[in-house]
Amino acid sequence: MDQCPIPTLLERDTFSKVLFNNVKKFYVLGRDVMCCYTLTEKFIPHHKDWIGIFKAGWKKTQEYYTYMWAPLPNNINEGSATQQEIQYKGYYLPNDDEHYYQFCYVDVNGFVQGTSTFFRICRGHMVVLNKEKVDEMEHLSEELYQENQELKDKYADLHEQLQRKQVALEATERMNKSLELEVEEKAAWEEEKASWESVLLQLKEYNQKIILEKEDMGIRVEELQTQLATQEKMKELIVRDQEKTE
């Protein structure tokens, strides 16, 4: 392969002018790998652009494991996206099944114009096992997502019930305060009523005493009237006797 023009340090651009498509999570060790990508309308390709396979954690574009020159599209139409693909031979690919890798599109000036998601290159049985594990994890993730949604719904329902109970509690507290005021007013009125009843009882007792005194005085008045009438009669008799004597 020709030596690729690579700057010493990575010069990062927006990474969004080239988009990688259908990147698998696992590739089988020793088998060819098809790399599919899209040149967006923002990007004009050059025949010295290249696509490398990098180990996760790379910092410089010269840290590629392998690369291939990116072919120019048959029809370069500026302002429209173009679908492209290249194929890596299996014997050029990493034989390390413990690390993750990704595709990176590097232009002629050394700028990274696009990166793919990460993938692993595993032995055949490991791909099956890893796929099963990924499927299991995805299934578990879906279940957790559903449970999370159910918990969110339950939380929303409980939160709504709690708000309603809070409103009812506040209304009950207002009613309790109102009743407490009424009880206090009634207690004060009862206390005042008891005081007035005591005064009324005293007045009744005093009135009864007055009635008894009045009855006693009536009797005495009648007696005095009788005595006075008797005295008047005696006085008349004396006056008559005196007149007769004269």
Side-chain angles (χ1 to χ4, degrees):
M1 297 175 62
D2 297 334
Q3 182 62 35
C4 164
I6 305 172
T8 304
L9 296 176
L10 169 65
E11 299 183 64
R12 294 175 182 246
D13 196 2
T14 60
F15 289 20
S16 63
K17 293 182 179 179
V18 177
L19 305 176
F20 288 91
N21 311 316
N22 304 321
V23 178
K24 298 180 180 179
K25 297 177 181 178
F26 303 99
Y27 291 99
V28 179
L29 181 66
R31 294 186 183 179
D32 296 348
V33 171
M34 184 66 70
C35 174
C36 303
Y37 57 97
T38 301
L39 303 175
T40 65
E41 63 276 5
K42 302 177 183 178
F43 182 66
I44 301 176
H46 190 275
H47 70 280
K48 284 295 184 179
D49 296 345
W50 54 280
I51 300 175
I53 296 179
F54 291 78
K55 184 186 292 186
W58 60 274
K59 296 181 180 179
K60 302 176 183 179
T61 52
Q62 63 185 169
E63 294 177 1
Y64 65 89
Y65 182 86
T66 186
Y67 77 95
M68 291 187 65
W69 296 109
L72 287 174
N74 295 328
N75 296 317
I76 301 177
N77 295 321
E78 185 176 354
S80 63
T82 305
Q83 303 294 329
Q84 293 287 94
E85 62 181 30
I86 56 174
Q87 187 176 44
Y88 290 87
K89 293 298 182 181
Y91 50 81
Y92 282 130
L93 299 177
N95 57 6
D96 179 6
D97 57 9
E98 295 182 358
H99 294 88
Y100 284 88
Y101 297 86
Q102 68 178 156
F103 300 114
C104 294
Y105 189 105
V106 184
D107 67 14
V108 65
N109 297 313
F111 289 97
V112 177
Q113 299 294 347
T115 59
S116 74
T117 55
F118 291 101
F119 58 85
R120 290 179 65 183
I121 300 176
C122 304
R123 305 183 192 281
H125 68 282
M126 290 185 64
V127 172
V128 174
L129 293 176
N130 287 330
K131 186 177 185 305
E132 291 177 352
K133 187 174 181 180
V134 168
D135 292 341
E136 181 182 354
M137 293 299 293
E138 289 180 349
H139 180 68
L140 180 60
S141 177
E142 180 65 22
E143 289 182 349
L144 290 175
Y145 175 78
Q146 293 295 335
E147 291 179 2
N148 187 44
Q149 289 299 117
E150 291 176 0
L151 289 175
K152 285 183 178 179
D153 294 339
K154 289 181 180 179
Y155 171 78
D157 184 53
L158 289 175
H159 183 66
E160 183 179 356
Q161 292 182 21
L162 180 61
Q163 287 183 328
R164 289 201 297 267
K165 290 185 181 297
Q166 181 65 28
V167 171
L169 178 60
E170 292 175 355
T172 303
E173 288 179 348
R174 289 195 296 270
M175 291 178 62
N176 287 340
K177 289 182 180 179
S178 177
L179 289 174
E180 287 176 359
L181 291 175
E182 290 181 6
V183 169
E184 290 177 358
E185 292 176 356
K186 186 175 181 180
W189 182 80
E190 291 289 344
E191 184 178 354
E192 185 176 358
K193 178 182 176 182
S195 176
W196 281 108
E197 286 178 348
S198 176
V199 173
L200 181 60
L201 180 62
Q202 293 178 3
L203 289 173
K204 286 181 177 179
E205 292 176 353
Y206 181 73
N207 186 47
Q208 188 66 27
K209 181 180 178 181
I210 295 297
I211 290 173
L212 293 175
E213 291 179 353
K214 179 183 177 183
E215 290 177 353
D216 185 58
M217 290 181 66
I219 294 171
R220 292 176 60 189
V221 168
E222 289 178 357
E223 291 176 351
L224 288 173
Q225 286 179 344
T226 302
Q227 291 178 4
L228 182 59
T230 302
Q231 289 179 358
E232 287 292 336
K233 288 181 179 180
M234 290 181 62
K235 183 179 178 181
E236 288 179 357
L237 290 174
I238 292 172
V239 171
R240 289 178 182 174
D241 290 341
Q242 187 177 1
E243 288 179 349
K244 289 179 179 181
T245 301
E246 292 178 354

